[in-house]
Amino acid sequence: MTVSLTTAQIREKYLQFFEGKGHLRLPSYSTVAPDPTTLFTVAGMQPFKDQFMGAPAVFDGVANRRVTTAQKCVRVGDIENVGRTRRHLSLFEMMGNFSFGDYFKRDAIHWAWEFLTGAEWMGMDANKMYVTIYKDDEEAFTYWTQEIGLDASHIHRFDADENFWPANAPLEGPNGPCGPCSEIYYDRGPKYGEDTWGDYFQTRESARFLEVWNLVFPQFDRQEPLADGTPVLRDLPFKNIDTGMGLERVASVVQDVPDFYSNDVFAPIVARVAELSGKPYEGEVSVSHRVVAEHLRSVSMILADGTPFSNTGRGYTLRKIMRRAIRHGYLLGFREPTLFQLVPLVVEGMSSAYPELRDNQAKVEASVKAEEERFLKTLEGGIQRLGGLLSGMERGAVLSGQDAFVLYDTYGFPVDLTLEIAEEYGITVDEAGYAESLENAQEIARAGSKYGKSELFGGNQEALEGLPRTEFVGYDELSVDADVVALVGAGERLSHLPAGSEATVVLSRTPFYAEGGGEVGDTGRLEWEGGAGVVRDTRKTPQGVFLHDVLVEQGELREGVSVRGVVSGKRRATERHHTATHLLHAALRAVLGDGVAQKGSLVAPDRLRFDFSHGSALTAPEIAAVELLVSRWVSANFPVTWQEMPIADAKAAGATALFGEKYGETVRVVRVGGSVEYAGQPVSSMELCGGAHVRRTGDIGAFVILGDENVAAGVRRIEALAGDAATAWVRERLNAAGKVASLLNTGVDGLEARVSGLQSQLKVAEKDVAAVKRQLAEAQMGGGTGGAAQTRELGGFKVAALKLAGLEGNELRGAADKLLDQSGADMVVVAGEKGLVVKATKDAVTRGAHAGQLIGKLAAAGGGKGGGRPDMAQAGVNDADAALGALDTAF
């Protein structure tokens, strides 16, 4: 093994390695999923699904069928295992090299082996490498054994459930691209376990044999099986490569540490957790230390990518991760916001690769601290309720599993805290009963609520049955008096909610808009005599019962009490963004054509997102035209009106339907009372919509499009800002431009000219450097005659060899071309300090010369590796003199 490398060094070496193999390095995509099939980016290949299905491999105008990335991925399907095992993470980095119809199995295998075992790369012991393959993949077996030289005893053959992607695809589907895979393992030695490779065949689990690389070979198109069930796998028209290296796993191997939590990124965070809690970290038994460290890394990255905490969708999952971290922090003794102090360590460890962490550090810290403050209050409320239950019980009694579950489900109070506190009272908890209640709740969740899933609303269907339809008055009023009709949590009606508790509240009438049509649910406050609470989200059932997620801050909320509901001032910002979304839709159809159809939207106080059908990225003039149309509507200050009418009349009037919305016989039509002109034609806006809107278009204020991006095949996404959010964004960009201009000793108006001038200077400097390098090469080659090269007869070929100082890469290849032309040799060998190039004439190749085979021998003598075609090959070496010294014996 080479000298221990940091995680950042391993990441950079990987990307450099594959850049050297002709791959285009792309930055990591956001943790926000690039397609609508998942909430988060779950794999390195996910951003390239279109290319795997045959779309052109063009990225930011650069065409390349080979790509390499370090992708931040989020998976939370088995989050309860995080901290308890050595292999589960909620956030991990997947190093990937991808081929879209270019190279295939042989190159992928050779390059993975070269990177893992090469002395200048990872330097892993080749004798400790093990491999699994699909049982029928003889091609992979041949490459591993005959070309790589791996002993057959180091290879296990597994069925499609283990070594096929998707798993079991031949028998179970789905139809479409699929193929075998080959996984690479490293034997970490007996200090990590006494098991053998043979044992792994039976157990499929090992701390000793660690999987570090997965080579996926999508080469088949799985089609409908024959009548007798025989799988049908046809060859794809072109074959792809999807390979991934788990960065954290390789770091564990290279740094020779037992697990992720001891590597150079995690260890400082774990140590800080120990310092803040006063409880030492003791390895695998210190689950809470590990959970807090791992989850804070995930939360920091997700927040930095722009996902806020919320009670729905991606934000809800983020909140679950954060709350699990807070719970384990509570177990460590944290009673005040503390975990936000770990964010700087995450930034320090990862911002070199992900600068968005440093750019958004202050925002991330503030968000984490606020969530801690909020949930710690919830935990305190659970402690009060638990104390009330336990104080009336005798020592030796048993707290029911249902009570423990209600604490968890209604108050977010973790069962491990319940066990710990109950033990102080001398009381045990019916853990089996708790597990049964939890399983029942999970079954309900899996079955799915008719009106959507959320932390508080799921599983409450029966308790909500029979409740009257809520009167919604929020189009015209933002504060009203109402009666509490019901309090619901954990699938049952509650009589009261004490301070610190959180549950679903149903009112007789409400000003709070319920999530729907892309618009987020309203937030705000409930106030009553002797108490108050926060409305954190609003949703509704198909029957029209509005569900308010309420956290009681003070006093006690009871069924039947009169309350005053006040919608947050954020509603006005949401209205601006919603009306702006309608205008954006109309403008897009005017500029891009009637082929534009809405595919999804998000309307929130801080931004809007609009997905629409369109086959290509918008040009700068198109974005400007759309933005200008919306601004014209705003300047005209047209009235915005709405009315209910039969759906047939609305459609006849030309109203556009909102994506994903179900309409009854009577619909609400929102109309902007005026049109603007584009290309000589009037453009108007009229949509079926139940959302909240401004009264006049002038209320929208400033409007700015942040950009558009591809989210699925034929679907684009625009994000935009309106009102104060747009004004603040423009001011931030102007300030940033001013700072850059100051650094370049010019004004903002002179930036373009200044940068253009610097680019011109840089091009001139680059040409000068290239000319100097050419002169340097010619001087070392004997004034351009090649006379400085040593030429000899070897193996029936005339071979010229030369070492050049100060040249590498392209310069070495250029020098080799020139030497081949000038020397009259059949083959030339040109070395730099760390590089080697071999070239051969066509005639020499015809007579049996092979540059790739020769360079393999020379590179081995120089402590490196390399290869290539018969006419040209290149290698990296540690000792160029040793490589050249092996020339006489290489033929």
Side-chain angles (χ1 to χ4, degrees):
M1 187 83 61
T2 58
V3 175
S4 180
L5 301 168
T6 67
T7 300
Q9 288 171 330
I10 296 171
R11 183 193 300 114
E12 182 60 25
K13 276 181 172 287
Y14 181 94
L15 296 171
Q16 287 182 354
F17 175 84
F18 280 101
E19 278 187 305
K21 303 298 184 185
H23 290 63
L24 174 66
R25 183 199 293 210
L26 293 177
S28 173
Y29 287 76
S30 169
T31 53
V32 177
D35 65 77
T37 60
T38 61
L39 291 176
F40 294 102
T41 302
V42 298
M45 60 77 63
Q46 190 175 2
F48 307 111
K49 288 173 65 174
D50 290 349
Q51 284 72 35
F52 279 115
M53 296 301 293
V58 180
F59 308 95
D60 293 330
V62 178
N64 197 322
R65 293 192 294 166
R66 300 181 179 188
V67 166
T68 184
T69 62
Q71 176 63 48
K72 46 192 173 181
C73 302
V74 177
R75 294 183 190 175
V76 292
D78 47 10
I79 194 172
E80 293 301 322
N81 289 321
V82 174
R84 304 184 187 279
T85 74
R86 293 185 174 189
R87 63 186 184 89
H88 284 91
L89 291 170
S90 59
L91 174 89
F92 62 95
E93 293 184 74
M94 182 61 71
M95 311 303 299
N97 57 285
F98 310 102
S99 167
F100 312 118
D102 189 41
Y103 64 87
F104 193 50
K105 199 173 297 185
R106 182 179 186 273
D107 286 332
I109 288 174
H110 275 269
W111 291 340
W113 183 262
E114 180 182 350
F115 181 77
L116 290 175
T117 62
E120 71 274 35
W121 304 111
M122 293 300 98
M124 295 183 186
D125 187 345
N127 295 319
K128 296 181 179 180
M129 306 298 290
Y130 292 80
V131 164
T132 65
I133 62 172
Y134 177 54
K135 63 177 184 178
D136 297 331
D137 194 351
E138 297 301 331
E139 183 182 5
F141 182 79
T142 297
Y143 291 143
W144 281 120
T145 56
Q146 295 185 19
E147 297 192 10
I148 298 299
L150 193 65
D151 192 280
S153 65
H154 282 222
I155 301 176
H156 285 324
R157 294 175 182 260
F158 286 132
D159 212 331
D161 61 331
E162 288 282 343
N163 278 81
F164 215 88
W165 180 88
N168 270 332
L171 290 176
E172 299 177 3
N175 290 343
C178 63
C181 61
S182 181
E183 296 168 337
I184 305 175
Y185 293 75
Y186 188 75
D187 178 7
R188 310 191 68 197
K191 74 175 180 179
Y192 294 105
E194 296 296 334
D195 53 323
T196 66
W197 182 237
D199 294 332
Y200 183 80
F201 187 81
Q202 304 298 328
T203 64
R204 313 290 173 90
E205 289 287 343
S206 177
R208 173 175 177 170
F209 294 91
L210 186 68
E211 178 195 339
V212 294
W213 202 301
N214 189 12
L215 299 152
V216 181
F217 312 124
Q219 63 187 88
F220 300 119
D221 180 9
R222 197 266 189 186
Q223 301 182 356
E224 281 300 310
L226 301 178
D228 63 358
T230 302
V232 177
L233 299 178
R234 303 196 185 283
D235 287 337
L236 285 169
F238 64 88
K239 300 175 180 180
N240 303 310
I241 284 295
D242 163 23
T243 76
M245 182 195 87
L247 179 59
E248 292 85 0
R249 293 190 177 210
V250 171
S252 297
V253 173
V254 172
Q255 297 172 17
D256 194 23
V257 292
D259 51 38
F260 313 129
Y261 302 100
S262 302
N263 72 26
D264 64 300
V265 172
F266 276 111
I269 308 175
V270 172
R272 181 63 171 151
V273 173
E275 178 186 349
L276 291 170
S277 66
K279 297 181 179 180
Y281 177 63
E282 299 175 338
E284 291 188 42
V285 298
S286 297
V287 172
S288 292
H289 292 73
R290 294 150 73 98
V291 169
V292 169
E294 198 283 336
H295 284 5
L296 253 294
R297 192 177 78 126
S298 299
V299 167
S300 298
M301 189 70 79
I302 296 169
L303 285 170
D305 278 344
T307 298
F309 294 112
S310 73
N311 279 342
T312 58
R314 191 177 297 110
Y316 165 57
T317 302
L318 174 63
R319 174 162 281 160
K320 282 176 61 178
I321 301 172
M322 185 68 232
R323 289 188 169 185
R324 186 167 186 255
I326 298 170
R327 290 167 183 168
H328 279 272
Y330 198 93
L331 287 173
L332 290 169
F334 300 145
R335 299 295 184 265
E336 298 294 333
T338 306
L339 306 190
F340 72 94
Q341 298 179 44
L342 303 176
V343 174
L345 292 173
V346 177
V347 173
E348 182 179 344
M350 301 191 69
S351 61
S352 61
Y354 306 105
E356 58 272 20
L357 278 169
R358 191 171 301 282
D359 294 342
N360 295 287
Q361 180 176 344
K363 180 179 178 181
V364 171
E365 289 183 29
S367 296
V368 170
K369 185 177 182 181
E371 188 67 15
E372 285 190 87
E373 291 172 341
R374 183 181 300 116
F375 190 53
L376 283 170
K377 290 180 181 178
T378 299
L379 285 177
E380 292 296 341
I383 289 173
Q384 291 178 18
R385 182 174 177 85
L386 176 59
L389 290 171
L390 297 175
S391 62
M393 302 174 67
E394 296 182 358
R395 294 185 68 84
V398 178
L399 181 71
S400 75
Q402 179 62 26
D403 282 339
F405 176 72
V406 170
L407 284 166
Y408 166 73
D409 193 56
T410 302
Y411 301 96
F413 197 74
V415 70
D416 42 13
L417 280 180
T418 299
L419 291 166
E420 181 179 301
I421 295 172
E423 185 178 1
E424 295 175 1
Y425 283 77
I427 294 170
T428 57
V429 179
D430 178 10
E431 294 185 60
Y434 168 83
E436 182 179 354
S437 297
L438 178 62
E439 177 61 27
N440 290 337
Q442 289 173 337
E443 286 296 331
I444 293 173
R446 280 191 283 268
S449 162
K450 293 180 181 179
Y451 47 86
K453 300 176 182 178
S454 82
E455 183 178 24
L456 293 166
F457 304 151
N460 290 332
Q461 298 98 314
E462 293 184 9
L464 294 167
E465 287 181 1
L467 292 179
R469 184 184 186 89
T470 307
E471 179 188 0
F472 176 61
V473 298
Y475 291 136
D476 302 308
E477 300 179 65
L478 296 186
S479 63
V480 299
D481 294 321
D483 296 328
V484 176
V485 175
L487 307 173
V488 182
E492 62 182 28
R493 295 281 287 272
L494 306 173
S495 61
H496 67 285
L497 295 177
S501 60
E502 185 176 2
T504 299
V505 177
V506 180
L507 304 175
S508 58
R509 60 202 303 257
T510 183
F512 296 95
Y513 179 82
E515 177 188 353
E519 183 175 333
V520 298
D522 274 340
T523 61
R525 295 185 64 78
L526 292 186
E527 300 169 348
W528 61 95
E529 186 175 351
V534 178
V535 178
R536 299 168 61 171
D537 196 11
T538 308
R539 303 178 81 180
K540 68 178 178 179
T541 73
Q543 293 74 35
V545 179
F546 280 60
L547 310 173
H548 308 83
D549 167 8
V550 175
L551 169 65
V552 178
E553 291 186 317
Q554 61 186 46
E556 183 178 74
L557 183 60
R558 288 186 170 274
E559 186 174 309
V561 73
S562 293
V563 300
R564 183 161 188 80
V566 182
V567 178
S568 164
K570 293 180 179 179
R571 161 74 89 79
R572 294 307 186 197
T574 302
E575 291 174 351
R576 295 186 190 101
H577 282 110
H578 203 153
T579 307
T581 302
H582 283 211
L583 300 180
L584 172 63
H585 189 186
L588 285 168
R589 289 175 63 84
V591 173
L592 303 180
D594 292 338
V596 168
Q598 184 173 342
K599 295 298 182 182
S601 68
L602 170 70
V603 179
D606 60 336
R607 71 194 190 286
L608 71 85
R609 187 180 71 219
F610 189 78
D611 296 348
F612 59 99
S613 56
H614 192 59
S616 60
L618 273 68
T619 64
E622 286 172 339
I623 291 177
V626 170
E627 204 171 59
L628 180 60
L629 277 179
V630 176
S631 296
R632 285 176 177 171
W633 265 302
V634 173
S635 299
N637 199 26
F638 292 129
V640 180
T641 60
W642 45 85
Q643 66 180 112
E644 293 188 347
M645 64 176 66
I647 190 169
D649 293 349
K651 290 182 177 179
T656 303
L658 186 66
F659 174 80
E661 192 78 1
K662 293 182 173 62
Y663 301 102
E665 289 302 313
T666 301
V667 295
R668 182 170 180 261
V669 178
V670 177
R671 183 196 306 263
V672 175
S675 61
V676 295
E677 184 178 295
Y678 180 76
Q681 298 295 320
V683 185
S684 59
S685 171
M686 181 170 58
E687 294 193 12
L688 308 186
C689 178
H693 290 269
V694 299
R695 270 56 178 174
R696 303 190 71 88
T697 55
D699 297 340
I700 293 172
F703 176 80
V704 60
I705 293 175
L706 305 186
D708 90 303
E709 61 179 349
N710 180 63
V711 293
V715 179
R716 308 293 301 178
R717 169 173 294 170
I718 276 181
E719 292 209 7
L721 302 175
D724 292 346
T727 301
W729 184 88
V730 171
R731 173 45 52 197
E732 289 174 2
R733 296 311 180 275
L734 286 173
N735 289 343
K739 291 179 182 178
V740 173
S742 178
L743 291 172
L744 297 178
N745 295 318
T746 186
V748 173
D749 292 340
L751 263 180
E752 184 176 356
R754 180 67 172 138
V755 172
S756 178
L758 290 174
Q759 288 177 324
S760 298
Q761 293 175 29
L762 179 60
K763 288 179 181 178
V764 171
E766 288 174 342
K767 289 180 180 178
D768 290 344
V769 170
V772 170
K773 287 188 174 182
R774 285 195 299 271
Q775 293 169 6
L776 177 63
E778 289 178 359
Q780 294 179 81
M781 293 170 63
T785 64
Q790 297 180 4
T791 304
R792 68 199 86 173
E793 289 285 341
L794 296 171
F797 299 102
K798 187 179 180 182
V799 181
L802 182 65
K803 183 179 179 183
L804 302 174
L807 301 178
E808 297 294 340
N810 291 332
E811 290 82 16
L812 280 183
R813 289 191 290 273
D817 285 333
K818 183 165 291 188
L819 182 59
L820 195 64
D821 290 339
Q822 296 172 349
S823 64
D826 298 310
M827 302 181 75
V828 296
V829 181
V830 178
E833 292 300 325
K834 296 294 182 181
L836 200 65
V837 173
V838 176
K839 290 205 171 186
T841 64
K842 290 183 180 179
D843 177 66
V845 170
T846 302
R847 292 188 286 119
H850 197 295
Q853 293 176 0
L854 175 58
I855 206 168
K857 297 175 182 178
L858 300 180
K865 276 194 172 184
R869 305 185 304 268
D871 62 324
M872 197 282 286
Q874 58 187 24
V877 294
N878 293 324
D879 187 340
D881 291 326
L884 291 176
L887 190 56
D888 290 333
T889 59
F891 284 85

